[in-house]
Amino acid sequence: MYGKFEKIYQLAKPFLDTRDNDIHTRIAYSFACRLLEAEGGNEDVVLPAIILHDVGWKSVPEELHLKAFGPGENDMIINRVHEVEGAKTARRILEEVNHDPSLTEEIVAIILEHDSRREALSVNDAIVKDSDKLWRFSKEALEIDPNRFGIPPAIHAKWLKLQIEDWFLTETAKKIAREEQRLRTLSFGIKSD
Ligand SMILES: [Fe+2]
Ligand SMILES: [Fe+2]
């Protein structure tokens, strides 16, 4: 599934077996492929960045995860740990596979602030941020997230819909989010108003 980036994924895999990050990474990766096609960007930056962006959660104790992400107030100090530790692990992995060093710098910079910086530094950065959030609109996330946040799926889906304009940086991601929202509305029987 990860094509020429399979080696990077295999090295990332031991860091992704927490917080459903394996499935999150796979879904975000497929959104990133769609955004690359529509928005341009460099796949040698975007795809390794999306594979590696959440490896840092492995450094955060699992009992603290739910304080650091999701609807409502988040503990941004805990959240920051996953960015900083993730950037370090990503650099090690990229060096191990001899990824182009100039691209490695860009990838590490993207991972280091993928949650804490709202504005994008480049189209590559925007695609990573948007793919990460598009996951939340997927069928898989709609099965996982309401459960882990203790929110009814219909309420969660309505909350997501309200975030589309605010969250997404590219027009393509807004469009995909609306499409996904429509599909979820049909499959979960959630009213779209
Ligand atoms: Fe993250
Ligand atoms: Fe993520």
Side-chain angles (χ1 to χ4, degrees):
M1 132 129 216
Y2 295 103
K4 65 176 172 174
F5 305 111
E6 184 63 33
K7 180 89 195 289
I8 292 176
Y9 173 69
Q10 289 303 329
L11 293 169
K13 205 171 173 200
F15 297 91
L16 295 174
D17 66 345
T18 183
R19 190 184 162 268
D20 293 303
N21 275 337
D22 211 336
I23 182 160
H24 165 51
T25 302
R26 180 162 57 77
I27 304 281
Y29 183 93
S30 23
F31 284 128
C33 293
R34 289 173 66 184
L35 291 181
L36 275 166
E37 250 177 55
E39 297 283 337
N42 182 349
E43 67 168 15
D44 293 327
V45 172
V46 169
L47 297 178
I50 206 76
I51 292 171
L52 294 165
H53 80 281
D54 271 342
V55 291
W57 281 114
K58 194 70 181 168
S59 306
V60 179
E62 287 190 338
E63 61 272 21
L64 298 180
H65 286 183
L66 283 177
K67 290 187 177 182
F69 71 96
E73 284 292 302
N74 294 153
D75 186 327
M76 293 317 283
I77 294 174
I78 302 173
N79 188 287
R80 185 74 186 130
V81 173
H82 102 282
E83 292 183 320
V84 172
E85 293 306 314
K88 288 185 204 160
T89 303
R91 181 184 294 283
R92 272 202 310 275
I93 291 174
L94 291 165
E95 284 172 358
E96 192 172 334
V97 300
N98 292 318
H99 202 64
D100 179 328
S102 64
L103 302 185
T104 293
E105 290 313 314
E106 186 177 351
I107 294 165
V108 169
I110 288 174
I111 293 173
L112 188 58
E113 295 182 307
H114 71 270
D115 266 345
S116 57
R117 179 172 32 73
R118 280 176 61 87
E119 64 284 0
L121 301 174
S122 62
V123 64
N124 295 330
D125 193 18
I127 292 175
V128 172
K129 286 181 185 300
D130 280 0
S131 310
D132 190 16
K133 293 191 180 71
L134 273 174
W135 137 264
R136 300 172 187 173
F137 293 78
S138 69
K139 177 173 171 290
E140 290 79 355
L142 257 293
E143 282 163 4
I144 291 171
D145 283 346
N147 220 2
R148 70 176 159 197
F149 301 135
I151 300 170
I155 304 283
H156 186 65
K158 279 186 181 168
W159 174 75
L160 283 177
K161 190 179 177 188
L162 295 175
Q163 316 305 319
I164 293 176
E165 284 306 313
D166 189 40
W167 275 353
F168 292 105
L169 300 163
T170 67
E171 286 309 310
T172 310
K174 287 181 190 173
K175 202 169 140 229
I176 295 175
R178 286 190 211 103
E179 279 166 20
E180 291 290 320
Q181 182 77 26
R182 257 195 305 277
L183 293 173
R184 301 297 84 76
T185 302
L186 294 175
S187 61
F188 285 89
I190 296 163
K191 285 203 183 129
S192 60
D193 53 275

